[in-house]
Amino acid sequence: QVQVVESGGGSVQVGGSMKLSCTASGYRWNYCGMFWFRQVPGEEKRLVAHIIDDRDISMPGFGDRFTASVDKSKNTIYLQMNSLETEDTAVYVCAAGVPTRDSCFNYFGQGTQVTVTS
């Protein structure tokens, strides 16, 4: 059974930085990869980063202030967030994908709250 746990959230002022971590236990790295999403109440969950390996990381719309990285030996991914803005306030959720017959199934963590204050 895969278990996903995020850490590193909290409160930070505008312009500050924060680094999140996510570890997937019971997980064997595969082509599905791991993900960072963020969730704002009342809005759709938004993809922040999809990490296949350290040379294959996509961050649609987040590549200027955010950096994702991975330590596959630890089944851990990271999200470094710089120059934070109040609009970045959200629950950041990690997921670990495993192959199924037709696609990938994601195991999600509980999420970690990031609050950016002005």
Side-chain angles (χ1 to χ4, degrees), residues 96-113:
V98 296
T100 63
R101 180 177 179 179
D102 301 318
S103 60
C104 297
F105 176 82
N106 285 334
Y107 289 89
F108 286 90
Q110 292 295 313
T112 185
Q113 176 70 46

Side-chain angles (χ1 to χ4, degrees), residues 20-22 29 34-36 51 69-70 75-78 94:
L20 307 180
S21 301
C22 169
W29 204 269
M34 292 181 67
F35 303 80
W36 283 109
I51 302 164
S69 59
V70 57
N75 280 348
T76 298
I77 61 172
Y78 306 93
C94 176

Side-chain angles (χ1 to χ4, degrees), residues 31-91:
Y31 64 82
C32 297
M34 292 181 67
F35 303 80
W36 283 109
F37 296 91
R38 73 183 190 185
Q39 179 85 63
V40 176
E43 297 183 8
E44 292 283 328
K45 186 166 54 188
R46 182 178 177 186
L47 176 67
V48 177
H50 181 199
I51 302 164
I52 304 291
D53 60 39
D54 56 1
R55 296 184 179 183
D56 190 354
I57 300 175
S58 60
M59 303 186 67
F62 288 93
D64 54 346
R65 298 181 294 115
F66 292 8
T67 302
S69 59
V70 57
D71 185 339
K72 292 170 69 174
S73 69
K74 298 180 179 179
N75 280 348
T76 298
I77 61 172
Y78 306 93
L79 184 65
Q80 175 68 47
M81 304 182 291
N82 299 323
S83 301
L84 283 161
E85 304 168 353
T86 56
E87 292 77 13
D88 296 317
T89 294
V91 176

